[in-house]
């Protein structure tokens, strides 16, 4: 929910600097036929955003680090809009039967420039990596670039967004666990199980199969499947070993 809370919690000057609008319909935050953000939650989201910022500062992050984390999220929002809409129903959330999967990809240069600036990348390099792929030449050590069709572009875009979000999430968890350094015993050896306090996350519920699954729901379902697998391997299998 941090995307929604960020849009309602950021001040107007920061929203303008990052090229965001509170009521704009962003593909990353809406379903294929969605009308944008739901109304009636503005105050709650703004309050939750402030609490999130305060919590991040509480684990030792300074204001610049917190801002950079949300700049990454803002960049992902713009990244979700880099495909130029050929029709109102076009969406990078996934192709439909009516989509021309072999059609060439046209990029929205404004969204691309904003995403690149917020993510610390060169717009031309980012656009090239998303729209082209390298193919190895048989019998040689060289590669040549081939343009992606619409379907492949959308798969690459979704994977790229997910990879960046995962790294930001992992970084946040690592910083939280790192904030417990003062609680570690004097004889602490890195890698020793149960040698220091840490936070783990286990939420094996929440999987949904909706009529239209957005990218956000896909990430939720993937996270739940990974957590379920981890729980089975480390809890149930350990229990089995105990009774052998």
């Amino acid at each position: 929910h941090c995307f929604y809370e960020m849009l309602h919690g950021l001040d107007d000057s920061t929203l303008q600097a990052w090229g965001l609008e509170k009521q704009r319909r962003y593909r990353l935050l809406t379903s294929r036929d969605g009308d944008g953000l739901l109304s009636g939650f503005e105050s709650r989201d703004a309050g939750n955003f402030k609490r999130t910022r305060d919590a991040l500062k509480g684990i030792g992050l300074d204001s610049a680090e917190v801002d950079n984390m949300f700049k990454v999220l803002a960049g992902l929002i713009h990244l979700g809009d880099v495909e130029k809409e050929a029709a109102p129903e076009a969406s990078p959330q996934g192709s439909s039967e009516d989509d021309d999967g072999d059609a060439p990809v046209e990029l929205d240069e404004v969204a691309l420039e904003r995403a690149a600036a917020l993510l610390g990348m060169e717009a031309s390099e980012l656009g090239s990596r998303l729209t082209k792929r390298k193919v190895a030449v048989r019998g040689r050590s060289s590669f040549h670039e081939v343009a992606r069709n619409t379907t492949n572009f959308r798969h690459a875009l979704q994977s790229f967004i997910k990879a960046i979000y995962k790294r930001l999430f992992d970084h946040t968890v690592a910083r939280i666990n790192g904030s417990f350094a003062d609680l570690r015993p004097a004889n602490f050896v890195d890698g020793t199980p149960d040698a220091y306090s840490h936070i783990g996350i286990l939420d094996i519920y929440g999987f949904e199969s909706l009529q239209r699954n957005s990218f956000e729901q896909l990430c939720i379902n993937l996270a739940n499947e990974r957590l379920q697998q981890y729980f089975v391997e480390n809890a149930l299998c350990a229990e089995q070993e105990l009774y052998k």
Side-chain angles (χ1 to χ4, degrees), residues 27 34 37 73 82 87 101-102 115 142 146 149 165 179-180 207 209 225 227:
R27 293 175 183 164
L37 301 182
L73 296 182
V82 295
D102 295 326
S142 59
V146 177
N149 59 27
Y165 186 86
S179 68
F180 296 139
F207 186 94
S209 180
E225 288 297 313
L227 289 170

PDB file of all heavy atoms in Angstrom, residues 27 34 37 73 82 87 101-102 115 142 146 149 165 179-180 207 209 225 227:
ATOM      1  N   ARG A  27      -0.922   3.043 -14.439  1.00  0.00           N
ATOM      2  CA  ARG A  27      -1.142   1.639 -14.777  1.00  0.00           C
ATOM      3  C   ARG A  27      -0.689   0.700 -13.665  1.00  0.00           C
ATOM      4  O   ARG A  27      -1.308  -0.327 -13.424  1.00  0.00           O
ATOM      5  CB  ARG A  27      -0.397   1.285 -16.059  1.00  0.00           C
ATOM      6  CG  ARG A  27      -0.924   1.963 -17.295  1.00  0.00           C
ATOM      7  CD  ARG A  27      -0.033   1.634 -18.461  1.00  0.00           C
ATOM      8  NE  ARG A  27      -0.471   2.321 -19.669  1.00  0.00           N
ATOM      9  CZ  ARG A  27       0.290   2.464 -20.742  1.00  0.00           C
ATOM     10  NH1 ARG A  27       1.517   1.971 -20.740  1.00  0.00           N
ATOM     11  NH2 ARG A  27      -0.154   3.090 -21.801  1.00  0.00           N
ATOM     12  N   GLY A  34      -9.606  -0.226 -14.423  1.00  0.00           N
ATOM     13  CA  GLY A  34      -9.772   0.618 -13.250  1.00  0.00           C
ATOM     14  C   GLY A  34      -9.871   2.093 -13.606  1.00  0.00           C
ATOM     15  O   GLY A  34      -9.400   2.537 -14.650  1.00  0.00           O
ATOM     16  N   LEU A  37      -7.276   5.813  -8.415  1.00  0.00           N
ATOM     17  CA  LEU A  37      -7.298   5.580  -6.981  1.00  0.00           C
ATOM     18  C   LEU A  37      -8.704   5.734  -6.420  1.00  0.00           C
ATOM     19  O   LEU A  37      -9.473   6.591  -6.864  1.00  0.00           O
ATOM     20  CB  LEU A  37      -6.354   6.566  -6.275  1.00  0.00           C
ATOM     21  CG  LEU A  37      -4.889   6.520  -6.707  1.00  0.00           C
ATOM     22  CD1 LEU A  37      -4.078   7.514  -5.883  1.00  0.00           C
ATOM     23  CD2 LEU A  37      -4.326   5.121  -6.546  1.00  0.00           C
ATOM     24  N   LEU A  73      10.269   4.254  -5.556  1.00  0.00           N
ATOM     25  CA  LEU A  73       8.866   3.875  -5.771  1.00  0.00           C
ATOM     26  C   LEU A  73       8.208   4.793  -6.799  1.00  0.00           C
ATOM     27  O   LEU A  73       7.429   4.334  -7.642  1.00  0.00           O
ATOM     28  CB  LEU A  73       8.107   3.940  -4.440  1.00  0.00           C
ATOM     29  CG  LEU A  73       8.552   2.956  -3.351  1.00  0.00           C
ATOM     30  CD1 LEU A  73       7.676   3.119  -2.110  1.00  0.00           C
ATOM     31  CD2 LEU A  73       8.507   1.520  -3.846  1.00  0.00           C
ATOM     32  N   VAL A  82       5.632   3.624 -19.272  1.00  0.00           N
ATOM     33  CA  VAL A  82       6.553   3.935 -20.369  1.00  0.00           C
ATOM     34  C   VAL A  82       6.034   3.468 -21.727  1.00  0.00           C
ATOM     35  O   VAL A  82       6.496   3.961 -22.757  1.00  0.00           O
ATOM     36  CB  VAL A  82       7.958   3.334 -20.118  1.00  0.00           C
ATOM     37  CG1 VAL A  82       8.606   3.973 -18.923  1.00  0.00           C
ATOM     38  CG2 VAL A  82       7.901   1.832 -19.978  1.00  0.00           C
ATOM     39  N   ALA A  87      -4.374   2.867 -27.488  1.00  0.00           N
ATOM     40  CA  ALA A  87      -5.826   2.918 -27.292  1.00  0.00           C
ATOM     41  C   ALA A  87      -6.060   3.053 -25.803  1.00  0.00           C
ATOM     42  O   ALA A  87      -5.209   2.700 -24.996  1.00  0.00           O
ATOM     43  CB  ALA A  87      -6.505   1.656 -27.831  1.00  0.00           C
ATOM     44  N   GLY A 101       0.616  -8.928 -30.190  1.00  0.00           N
ATOM     45  CA  GLY A 101       1.849  -9.224 -29.484  1.00  0.00           C
ATOM     46  C   GLY A 101       3.091  -9.032 -30.314  1.00  0.00           C
ATOM     47  O   GLY A 101       4.194  -8.926 -29.789  1.00  0.00           O
ATOM     48  N   ASP A 102       2.972  -9.013 -31.659  1.00  0.00           N
ATOM     49  CA  ASP A 102       4.130  -8.852 -32.527  1.00  0.00           C
ATOM     50  C   ASP A 102       4.344  -7.411 -32.956  1.00  0.00           C
ATOM     51  O   ASP A 102       5.267  -7.125 -33.723  1.00  0.00           O
ATOM     52  CB  ASP A 102       3.961  -9.726 -33.785  1.00  0.00           C
ATOM     53  CG  ASP A 102       3.961 -11.213 -33.443  1.00  0.00           C
ATOM     54  OD1 ASP A 102       4.682 -11.581 -32.499  1.00  0.00           O
ATOM     55  OD2 ASP A 102       3.248 -11.975 -34.108  1.00  0.00           O
ATOM     56  N   ALA A 115      11.064   8.345 -15.162  1.00  0.00           N
ATOM     57  CA  ALA A 115      11.472   7.098 -14.505  1.00  0.00           C
ATOM     58  C   ALA A 115      12.990   7.012 -14.407  1.00  0.00           C
ATOM     59  O   ALA A 115      13.546   6.665 -13.354  1.00  0.00           O
ATOM     60  CB  ALA A 115      10.916   5.894 -15.269  1.00  0.00           C
ATOM     61  N   SER A 142      30.379 -12.784 -29.932  1.00  0.00           N
ATOM     62  CA  SER A 142      29.719 -11.486 -30.042  1.00  0.00           C
ATOM     63  C   SER A 142      28.209 -11.626 -29.910  1.00  0.00           C
ATOM     64  O   SER A 142      27.649 -12.721 -29.977  1.00  0.00           O
ATOM     65  CB  SER A 142      30.053 -10.831 -31.385  1.00  0.00           C
ATOM     66  OG  SER A 142      29.646 -11.660 -32.454  1.00  0.00           O
ATOM     67  N   VAL A 146      18.260  -7.327 -30.865  1.00  0.00           N
ATOM     68  CA  VAL A 146      17.021  -7.585 -31.601  1.00  0.00           C
ATOM     69  C   VAL A 146      15.892  -6.866 -30.880  1.00  0.00           C
ATOM     70  O   VAL A 146      15.798  -6.922 -29.644  1.00  0.00           O
ATOM     71  CB  VAL A 146      16.710  -9.096 -31.671  1.00  0.00           C
ATOM     72  CG1 VAL A 146      15.385  -9.341 -32.378  1.00  0.00           C
ATOM     73  CG2 VAL A 146      17.841  -9.829 -32.375  1.00  0.00           C
ATOM     74  N   ASN A 149       9.167  -7.557 -29.317  1.00  0.00           N
ATOM     75  CA  ASN A 149       7.793  -7.242 -29.684  1.00  0.00           C
ATOM     76  C   ASN A 149       7.035  -6.803 -28.429  1.00  0.00           C
ATOM     77  O   ASN A 149       7.588  -6.777 -27.326  1.00  0.00           O
ATOM     78  CB  ASN A 149       7.110  -8.434 -30.367  1.00  0.00           C
ATOM     79  CG  ASN A 149       7.075  -9.672 -29.481  1.00  0.00           C
ATOM     80  OD1 ASN A 149       7.079  -9.579 -28.243  1.00  0.00           O
ATOM     81  ND2 ASN A 149       7.042 -10.846 -30.099  1.00  0.00           N
ATOM     82  N   TYR A 165      11.809  -3.539  -7.119  1.00  0.00           N
ATOM     83  CA  TYR A 165      11.015  -3.493  -5.889  1.00  0.00           C
ATOM     84  C   TYR A 165      11.535  -4.519  -4.879  1.00  0.00           C
ATOM     85  O   TYR A 165      11.619  -4.236  -3.688  1.00  0.00           O
ATOM     86  CB  TYR A 165       9.545  -3.764  -6.215  1.00  0.00           C
ATOM     87  CG  TYR A 165       8.625  -3.592  -5.029  1.00  0.00           C
ATOM     88  CD1 TYR A 165       8.106  -2.341  -4.715  1.00  0.00           C
ATOM     89  CD2 TYR A 165       8.289  -4.666  -4.211  1.00  0.00           C
ATOM     90  CE1 TYR A 165       7.270  -2.169  -3.619  1.00  0.00           C
ATOM     91  CE2 TYR A 165       7.464  -4.508  -3.121  1.00  0.00           C
ATOM     92  CZ  TYR A 165       6.944  -3.258  -2.843  1.00  0.00           C
ATOM     93  OH  TYR A 165       6.134  -3.094  -1.744  1.00  0.00           O
ATOM     94  N   SER A 179      19.585  -2.509  12.466  1.00  0.00           N
ATOM     95  CA  SER A 179      19.354  -1.573  13.572  1.00  0.00           C
ATOM     96  C   SER A 179      19.415  -2.270  14.928  1.00  0.00           C
ATOM     97  O   SER A 179      19.450  -1.613  15.966  1.00  0.00           O
ATOM     98  CB  SER A 179      17.985  -0.899  13.405  1.00  0.00           C
ATOM     99  OG  SER A 179      16.920  -1.824  13.578  1.00  0.00           O
ATOM    100  N   PHE A 180      19.439  -3.621  14.914  1.00  0.00           N
ATOM    101  CA  PHE A 180      19.542  -4.377  16.160  1.00  0.00           C
ATOM    102  C   PHE A 180      20.993  -4.641  16.566  1.00  0.00           C
ATOM    103  O   PHE A 180      21.258  -5.452  17.444  1.00  0.00           O
ATOM    104  CB  PHE A 180      18.824  -5.730  16.032  1.00  0.00           C
ATOM    105  CG  PHE A 180      17.343  -5.599  15.811  1.00  0.00           C
ATOM    106  CD1 PHE A 180      16.701  -6.420  14.901  1.00  0.00           C
ATOM    107  CD2 PHE A 180      16.609  -4.660  16.505  1.00  0.00           C
ATOM    108  CE1 PHE A 180      15.334  -6.310  14.701  1.00  0.00           C
ATOM    109  CE2 PHE A 180      15.250  -4.545  16.302  1.00  0.00           C
ATOM    110  CZ  PHE A 180      14.601  -5.360  15.398  1.00  0.00           C
ATOM    111  N   PHE A 207      -3.565 -15.282  -0.732  1.00  0.00           N
ATOM    112  CA  PHE A 207      -3.549 -15.569  -2.163  1.00  0.00           C
ATOM    113  C   PHE A 207      -4.945 -15.386  -2.750  1.00  0.00           C
ATOM    114  O   PHE A 207      -5.923 -15.867  -2.208  1.00  0.00           O
ATOM    115  CB  PHE A 207      -3.068 -17.000  -2.410  1.00  0.00           C
ATOM    116  CG  PHE A 207      -2.888 -17.332  -3.874  1.00  0.00           C
ATOM    117  CD1 PHE A 207      -1.661 -17.194  -4.472  1.00  0.00           C
ATOM    118  CD2 PHE A 207      -3.965 -17.755  -4.636  1.00  0.00           C
ATOM    119  CE1 PHE A 207      -1.487 -17.489  -5.811  1.00  0.00           C
ATOM    120  CE2 PHE A 207      -3.814 -18.050  -5.975  1.00  0.00           C
ATOM    121  CZ  PHE A 207      -2.569 -17.917  -6.570  1.00  0.00           C
ATOM    122  N   SER A 209      -7.216 -15.202  -6.568  1.00  0.00           N
ATOM    123  CA  SER A 209      -7.298 -15.369  -8.011  1.00  0.00           C
ATOM    124  C   SER A 209      -8.502 -14.558  -8.486  1.00  0.00           C
ATOM    125  O   SER A 209      -9.642 -15.031  -8.459  1.00  0.00           O
ATOM    126  CB  SER A 209      -7.453 -16.842  -8.393  1.00  0.00           C
ATOM    127  OG  SER A 209      -7.537 -16.982  -9.795  1.00  0.00           O
ATOM    128  N   GLU A 225       3.422 -17.377  -2.122  1.00  0.00           N
ATOM    129  CA  GLU A 225       3.884 -18.704  -2.526  1.00  0.00           C
ATOM    130  C   GLU A 225       5.302 -18.960  -2.035  1.00  0.00           C
ATOM    131  O   GLU A 225       5.631 -20.055  -1.571  1.00  0.00           O
ATOM    132  CB  GLU A 225       3.817 -18.825  -4.053  1.00  0.00           C
ATOM    133  CG  GLU A 225       2.404 -18.941  -4.606  1.00  0.00           C
ATOM    134  CD  GLU A 225       1.710 -20.207  -4.126  1.00  0.00           C
ATOM    135  OE1 GLU A 225       2.320 -21.291  -4.190  1.00  0.00           O
ATOM    136  OE2 GLU A 225       0.563 -20.111  -3.674  1.00  0.00           O
ATOM    137  N   LEU A 227       6.768 -17.553   0.569  1.00  0.00           N
ATOM    138  CA  LEU A 227       6.731 -17.696   2.025  1.00  0.00           C
ATOM    139  C   LEU A 227       6.188 -19.060   2.434  1.00  0.00           C
ATOM    140  O   LEU A 227       6.664 -19.673   3.392  1.00  0.00           O
ATOM    141  CB  LEU A 227       5.873 -16.577   2.630  1.00  0.00           C
ATOM    142  CG  LEU A 227       6.467 -15.172   2.580  1.00  0.00           C
ATOM    143  CD1 LEU A 227       5.430 -14.139   2.978  1.00  0.00           C
ATOM    144  CD2 LEU A 227       7.677 -15.076   3.497  1.00  0.00           C
TER     145      LEU A 227
END
